[in-house]
Structures are given as structure tokens and as C-alpha cells.
């Protein structure tokens, strides 16, 4: 059976690592963009820059410019730079695309039912819109793999607040809608992504100039603001899971997302071991959640795949 991979992204620096890893190891046919690290327009320009640099033949379709309900928040320029790629390349491209992300994704899964995998590595706004506009979308997608969330394993509870990871925090209503849907879903949360840090030397050893250039900004941020040497390639681990699921420890649980108050953006599994009258998880489908990773093994796979050969 053919298979197709689309990456839904807010192209930031770790997104670029995911895109590069995907194009080297997966049938990457499309890039859809979403507001997150940068605006959807900037993410679209970055997708075009990436595709031109690596001579990637993939459809690029621009998506949502804001969350479903949450007020628009500013791009996080301190992590990925004003342009989302560390400010090291001039971007000559415009932000127009022939189709929009939602139309592209819906039409692709209708044309190739149960053959399209989507890696969502930014806020989940586009995926939620697909579910709203196409009731059968959940049944047509082969698998959705999400970089997002944090459940507290290994002490990782959030990178935007005490409780929330950025992609979920940016559009919690979209995330909660997606988590309640029937899409077969794997979640790659901070619990595992912060367990895989790539050093500047390891990036340099890939000999991939684009990745070396764009990661400088991110490496400076993580040392200055997060206090460690190395970068968490959060998004690339979604592709790591697709390629090597054996490197991950998983649990299958239903998931909800807090959408208000100080916990807005928190991803939650059921907690109570006893029957409860107001069960927020009643009858929900389970999602596969990565709670552990073989750090050395997945780093080895990632870095050897990224080793640049002209
Ligand atoms: O929390 C990490 C996520 O937020 C990654 O997808 C990164 O690119 C940022 O979007
Ligand atoms: Ca991202």
C-alpha cells in the first residue's frame, strides 16, 4: 500500500530538522503551514526556502493564521529568531500558495484514504479545522503524530508555563478537539523530546550547512534561557518515532487539554482509579503517548540520517 507523509509545521529551527529527516527517510509529499513559532505567512516563506535549498518536490499549502479561539499571541522570536530560522538566510519567497492547508489535507486523505500520515509539529489549528469541515477526516487519516504536550514524566511539565508545552498552549481549543477525535494518534511530548539533546558538535558532524547555520540561534537560546548545552530537536522526534517506534516507551490513554485558567494548554490523562460521575474522558478513544525514549539509539538514527551527502 502506498503511503504519504504531510508535515504540518510552524517552521522554526527544530521543524527544519524534522523536515530534513523526513525528506531523507519518509515519502514526504506535502508541507502545510500554521501560525506558531512564526506567522503562517513566514512559515510558508520558510517552507519555500527549505524546499528550494534541498530541492524538495513537495506541495506547500498555507494554513491558519491564528488559533480557533485563543487571542493571537506574538511569535516567539527569542527561540527561533524573527524569521523562524535563526535569521541567517535571506528569504526571497512570497507567502502565497495555490491551495490552503485545510483543502489540501482534506482532498489528499479523500484521494488516498488510510494512506496519509500527518506529522503535526506546530499548533493543531489546521487539524482541528479539517475535522470541523470534513466529518469523515478522522476515519480517512492513516495516523496523526503530534509533537506536543507534556505529562510530567522525567520532570517535564511545560516549556511555556508550569503546565503547558508551546504547540498545545498556542491553541488549546484546537488541541482538545483533536484529542477527542477518533484520528489514530501518537503524541511525542516534552517528556521524551527534552531527553534527546543534540550538541553543536553533533550538529556540525552532520556537515549539513543549512542545519548548522539555522541551529546556532537555537543553541544560544537553550544555553542562555534553558541552561543547558545542546538543542532539543522536539519536532524531529516525530519522524524518529515513525522510523523507529521501538526506541520509544508508550502508554495508550485518552487525552484532554485544559483550555482555561493557569493550566490552559495542559495535556491530561485520566487520573482517578475509581468511577466518577463527571468523567471528562468518558468514551474517548485512546491516544498513544510516548513517555520514554532510548536517547542514544534515537540520536544515532537521527544523526546518521542527517549526515549530509551532496
Ligand atoms: O514545544 C516545542 C514545540 O514548539 C516545537 O514544535 C517547536 O518548534 C515549537 O513550535
Ligand atoms: Ca514546531
Amino acid at each position: 500500500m502506498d503511503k504519504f507523509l504531510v508535515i504540518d509545521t510552524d517552521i522554526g529551527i527544530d521543524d527544519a530538522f524534522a523536515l530534513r529527516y523526513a525528506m531523507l527517510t519518509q515519502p514526504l509529499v506535502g508541507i502545510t503551514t500554521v501560525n506558531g513559532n512564526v506567522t503562517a505567512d513566514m512559515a510558508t516563506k520558510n517552507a519555500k526556502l527549505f524546499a528550494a535549498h534541498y530541492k524538495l518536490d513537495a506541495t506547500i499549502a498555507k494554513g491558519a493564521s491564528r488559533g480557533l479561539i485563543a487571542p493571537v499571541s506574538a511569535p516567539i522570536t527569542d527561540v527561533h529568531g524573527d524569521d523562524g530560522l535563526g535569521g541567517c538566510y535571506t528569504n526571497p519567497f512570497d507567502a502565497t500558495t495555490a491551495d490552503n492547508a485545510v483543502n489540501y489535507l482534506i482532498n489528499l486523505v479523500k484521494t488516498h484514504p488510510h494512506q496519509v500520515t500527518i506529522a503535526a509539529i506546530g499548533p493543531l489549528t489546521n487539524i482541528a479545522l479539517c475535522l470541523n469541515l470534513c466529518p469523515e477526516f478522522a476515519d480517512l487519516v492513516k495516523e496523526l503524530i503530534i509533537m506536543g504536550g507534556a505529562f510530567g514524566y522525567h520532570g517535564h511539565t511545560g516549556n511555556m508555563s508550569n503546565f503547558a508545552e508551546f504547540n498545545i498552549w498556542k491553541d488549546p481549543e484546537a488541541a482538545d478537539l483533536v484529542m477527542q477525535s477518533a484520528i489514530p494518534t501518537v503524541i511525542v511530548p516534552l517528556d521524551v523530546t527534552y531527553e534527546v539533546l543534540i550538541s553543536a558538535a553533533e550538529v556540525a558532524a552532520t556537515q549539513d550547512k543549512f542545519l548548522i547555520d539555522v541551529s546556532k540561534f537555537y543553541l544560544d537560546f537553550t544555553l542562555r534561557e534553558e541552561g543547558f548545552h545542546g538543542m532539543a530537536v522536539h519536532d524531529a522526534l516525530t519522524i524518529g518515532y515513525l522510523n523507529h517506534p521501538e526506541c520509544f516507551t508508550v502508554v495508550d490513554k485518552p487525552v484532554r487539554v485544559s483550555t482555561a485558567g493557569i493550566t490552559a494548554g495542559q495535556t491530561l490523562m485520566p487520573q482517578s482509579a475509581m468511577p466518577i460521575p463527571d468523567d471528562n474522558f468518558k468514551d474517548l478513544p485512546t491516544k498513544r503517548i510516548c513517555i520514554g525514549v532510548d536517547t542514544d539509539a534515537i540520536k544515532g538514527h537521527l544523526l546518521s540520517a542527517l549526515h549530509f551527502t551532496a
Side-chain angles (χ1 to χ4, degrees):
M1 180 188 288
D2 290 342
K3 57 180 186 173
F4 306 85
L5 174 67
V6 176
I7 294 186
D8 189 61
T9 174
D10 58 342
I11 311 187
I13 294 166
D14 61 316
D15 304 66
F17 279 72
L19 286 163
R20 180 60 178 158
Y21 189 23
M23 68 176 282
L24 293 167
T25 59
Q26 290 280 334
L28 179 62
V29 298
I31 300 174
T32 53
T33 61
V34 65
N35 177 61
N37 291 322
V38 292
T39 63
D41 277 6
M42 190 69 240
T44 304
K45 286 164 58 78
N46 287 344
K48 292 183 178 181
L49 182 77
F50 178 93
H53 177 85
Y54 287 113
K55 298 182 179 56
L56 170 65
D57 179 16
T59 300
I60 296 173
K62 183 166 66 173
S65 58
R66 59 157 297 156
L68 294 188
I69 296 172
V72 178
S73 53
I76 45 166
T77 55
D78 54 337
V79 183
H80 300 270
D82 291 343
D83 67 351
L85 289 175
C88 51
Y89 286 95
T90 303
N91 192 323
F93 297 99
D94 65 26
T96 58
T97 58
D99 201 356
N100 70 61
V102 175
N103 277 348
Y104 170 71
L105 287 167
I106 290 172
N107 290 333
L108 190 67
V109 301
K110 283 183 174 179
T111 307
H112 303 286
H114 316 301
Q115 300 175 53
V116 178
T117 296
I118 302 170
I121 60 176
L124 293 168
T125 316
N126 290 337
I127 311 304
L129 290 171
C130 286
L131 287 163
N132 284 348
L133 288 170
C134 176
E136 67 270 32
F137 188 75
D139 297 330
L140 293 173
V141 175
K142 179 175 185 281
E143 184 172 64
L144 172 68
I145 183 155
I146 295 169
M147 190 283 129
F151 297 88
Y153 291 90
H154 319 295
H156 303 301
T157 62
N159 61 358
M160 279 308 289
S161 76
N162 283 288
F163 310 104
E165 175 279 327
F166 175 78
N167 288 337
I168 308 300
W169 173 88
K170 191 80 172 177
D171 192 349
E173 288 80 7
D176 193 38
L177 193 153
V178 171
M179 296 305 177
Q180 295 185 67
S181 80
I183 300 182
T185 302
V186 176
I187 301 171
V188 181
L190 298 183
D191 311 67
V192 295
T193 63
Y194 270 129
E195 296 299 301
V196 182
L197 303 181
I198 308 294
S199 69
E202 287 167 328
V203 175
T206 67
Q207 298 182 342
D208 183 317
K209 186 177 182 314
F210 187 87
L211 297 181
I212 292 166
D213 288 346
V214 301
S215 58
K216 286 189 180 73
F217 194 95
Y218 197 167
L219 285 160
D220 291 346
F221 167 82
T222 48
L223 182 57
R224 184 181 69 250
E225 300 294 334
E226 297 184 326
F228 52 75
H229 286 277
M231 55 187 280
V233 281
H234 305 282
D235 295 332
L237 290 200
T238 60
I239 311 306
Y241 179 87
L242 287 178
N243 290 335
H244 299 284
E246 74 280 1
C247 291
F248 294 83
T249 303
V250 300
V251 293
D252 293 330
K253 297 276 186 184
V255 176
R256 289 294 306 272
V257 177
S258 170
T259 56
I262 65 167
T263 60
Q266 184 177 19
T267 47
L268 300 157
M269 297 183 209
Q271 303 293 323
S272 172
M274 56 183 283
I276 43 184
D278 180 14
D279 184 355
N280 311 83
F281 299 86
K282 185 170 169 46
D283 301 329
L284 288 184
T286 60
K287 304 301 181 190
R288 177 148 293 182
I289 305 155
C290 298
I291 60 170
V293 61
D294 181 338
T295 297
D296 292 340
I298 205 66
K299 270 181 76 167
H301 291 306
L302 170 65
L303 293 172
S304 58
L306 291 179
H307 193 273
F308 189 75
T309 49

